[in-house]
Amino acid sequence: MVNVAILGFGVVGGGTARLITDNREEIERLTGDTVNIKYILDLRDFPDSPFADRIVHDFNIILEDPEVDTVIEVMGGSHPAYEFTVAALKKGKNVITSNKEVVANFGDEFLAAAAASGVSYRFEAAVGGGIPVISPIISSVRHNKITEVRGILNGTTNYILTKMFSLGESFEDSLCDAQERGYAERNPDADILGTDAARKIDILTALVTGKLVPTDKIHTEGITNIRKADVLAAEKLGMKIKLLGRCIIEGEKVFVIVAPFMLPSDSALFGVSGVYNAVEVIGEPIGSVMFYGPGAGAGPTASAVVADLTEIIASGRNYAVPTFTKDEGAASDISELVCASYIAFDGACEACVKSVFGEVTFVESEDSVAFVTAPMSEKAACEKIARLISERGATLKSRIRLV
Ligand code: HSE
């Protein structure tokens, strides 16, 4: 019998406990062993829960119990998740997590600690919720020369954008709805400001480059500045606006960015709506592959956690293990990143736009002069925007890059 302890009895912890219980026979069939949830750590008591008798409030009970083989950390946040994870790995316990914050901040350290103790550290649920994406990237796709990994990595913002722009609902109502469904982070700023997506693209970047970038070195923009007029403009262009995390590898340069992008209808990510996430991996010789599925919520996330658990029980460490090290300078300055942009200005005439940006495609707009530029470097785009503001007194309303 494999004894596990779950740290955190929130949305994901509850889903994981239920799935382990419901799938008892299937887990035994797959692994040849039974799983017992011995402890659930939480600050609260849950007297009405079927797991009430497993609740403990002191992590040391779990740490010091030699029968506990695997710790499932689904608390979220960096601390005390970091301390609990290090302690468990050093004690020779496997650790599984859905906590992208702690993986993005300390994943390199945890993998090294796990290797030193001969145990596993797995985090399939940390990116893309229920989508199997970590394992395929480190096993099936690793023999390609990867040129880009890009994805819709945050279910909450994709849900909000879908509801706002397809159904015309307000930002606030859509956010509340996402929170009620258990999609959003405890502090939804991490979703709407792009931080959660930055942590996830950080992890994916580490898998394909071997280098973990400090998340605050990733250029990150959220969805809070997207205006209804921008969505209408995107529709006129036959495009959609999606919050993307992108890791673009060009020779020695690795550009990592999280921002809203306009996607053309032939993009693999164009039709990814609602809480769904998708990760597209582009490389040679494979071309483009996409991993698609529900990116948040109790059931999908628990599914990925339980997949990690069964893999550990069935295979031990006999599977592809990711390796990466922290590298402060691994992300290149995005000033050299080249892309076209949709730009909207108040107080600029079409002639002055052309005099600064050269040939552009104008988009009909009620409240501004809106246009799409030719592809140009980030540095050039920023310089031209600044020129139009300083020389013509124009006000920038929007700028959204195109894929
Ligand atoms: N808040 C996250 C999201 C949860 O909406 O995608 C899953 O990581």
Side-chain angles (χ1 to χ4, degrees):
M1 179 189 289
V2 175
N3 286 294
V4 303
I6 299 174
L7 312 186
F9 202 38
V11 172
V12 179
T16 301
R18 277 193 300 279
L19 192 60
I20 290 173
T21 308
D22 293 349
N23 282 19
R24 195 178 189 81
E25 286 174 12
E26 179 64 5
I27 293 171
E28 188 174 356
R29 193 185 65 74
L30 283 170
T31 65
D33 219 333
T34 53
V35 172
N36 174 46
I37 301 170
K38 189 162 186 186
Y39 304 110
I40 298 176
L41 180 77
D42 205 285
L43 292 172
R44 303 159 292 177
D45 281 310
F46 296 85
D48 300 327
S49 163
F51 301 100
D53 59 339
R54 332 282 168 93
I55 301 286
V56 294
H57 306 299
D58 179 1
F59 175 67
N60 285 315
I61 294 171
I62 295 166
L63 189 65
E64 299 305 332
D65 185 340
E67 285 185 1
V68 174
D69 175 79
T70 298
V71 170
I72 298 172
E73 184 275 298
V74 285
M75 313 166 71
S78 282
H79 303 283
Y82 167 78
E83 290 76 11
F84 290 176
T85 301
V86 169
L89 292 169
K90 286 191 173 160
K91 272 275 186 207
K93 300 180 192 298
N94 305 298
V95 177
I96 296 165
T97 191
S98 63
N99 179 346
K100 52 266 157 170
E101 180 174 338
V102 83
V103 182
N105 286 339
F106 309 107
D108 55 327
E109 224 180 290
F110 299 150
L111 288 168
S117 296
V119 294
S120 294
Y121 179 66
R122 290 182 67 104
F123 46 91
E124 182 62 68
V127 180
I131 311 170
V133 61
I134 305 279
S135 293
I137 285 181
I138 61 175
S139 53
S140 319
V141 184
R142 70 187 311 161
H143 302 292
N144 289 272
K145 183 176 173 350
I146 308 289
T147 51
E148 178 164 355
V149 178
R150 62 183 172 212
I152 294 172
L153 300 170
N154 183 267
T156 300
T157 45
N158 208 40
Y159 186 80
I160 291 172
L161 288 171
T162 303
K163 291 204 91 177
M164 280 174 72
F165 302 134
S166 308
L167 305 175
E169 293 190 8
S170 73
F171 177 86
E172 290 74 16
D173 286 351
S174 307
L175 175 57
C176 280
D177 192 5
Q179 286 175 305
E180 277 166 18
R181 289 166 186 267
Y183 301 155
E185 297 299 302
R186 278 181 296 192
N187 175 359
D189 278 358
D191 296 299
I192 61 180
L193 300 180
T195 319
D196 178 72
R199 291 175 181 139
K200 292 167 178 168
I201 194 66
D202 200 357
I203 296 168
L204 296 175
T205 300
L207 297 179
V208 298
T209 65
K211 293 176 179 161
L212 184 66
V213 178
T215 310
D216 61 5
K217 296 271 193 298
I218 295 176
H219 179 97
T220 303
E221 300 169 23
I223 63 165
T224 49
N225 292 331
I226 296 174
R227 305 171 310 135
K228 190 82 191 162
D230 304 329
V231 177
L232 295 175
E235 280 171 359
K236 282 185 185 130
L237 291 163
M239 296 192 179
K240 279 188 183 163
I241 301 172
K242 296 286 182 189
L243 183 72
L244 296 189
R246 300 182 72 187
C247 163
I248 302 157
I249 304 170
E250 288 177 6
E252 295 300 304
K253 304 244 178 240
V254 179
F255 300 110
V256 192
I257 179 170
V258 171
F261 279 84
M262 283 195 185
L263 289 165
S265 59
D266 61 358
S267 163
L269 299 171
F270 183 85
V272 179
S273 300
V275 73
Y276 279 79
N277 282 193
V279 176
E280 186 181 5
V281 180
I282 302 165
E284 288 299 330
I286 198 165
S288 160
V289 286
M290 190 167 90
F291 305 91
Y292 169 78
T301 311
S303 155
V305 169
V306 175
D308 273 347
L309 178 62
T310 49
E311 184 80 24
I312 288 174
I313 300 170
S315 320
R317 280 179 61 81
N318 189 22
Y319 51 76
V321 177
T323 48
F324 47 79
T325 50
K326 203 160 277 150
D327 189 334
E328 293 271 331
S332 307
D333 187 332
I334 67 158
S335 63
E336 289 176 52
L337 178 65
V338 173
C339 56
S341 295
Y342 153 85
I343 298 176
F345 271 110
D346 201 7
C349 63
E350 291 194 356
C352 29
V353 166
K354 279 189 184 172
S355 73
V356 173
F357 282 89
E359 274 313 305
V360 296
T361 304
F362 287 100
V363 192
E364 201 185 310
S365 169
E366 279 179 7
D367 69 346
S368 55
V369 173
F371 54 96
V372 175
T373 70
M376 64 183 72
S377 71
E378 184 71 18
K379 182 164 181 263
C382 291
E383 280 171 3
K384 288 175 195 297
I385 289 169
R387 250 181 79 194
L388 211 56
I389 293 170
S390 66
E391 292 176 11
R392 307 285 175 160
T395 306
L396 181 68
K397 306 274 277 187
S398 301
R399 185 235 170 158
I400 300 174
R401 299 169 187 84
L402 272 64
V403 168

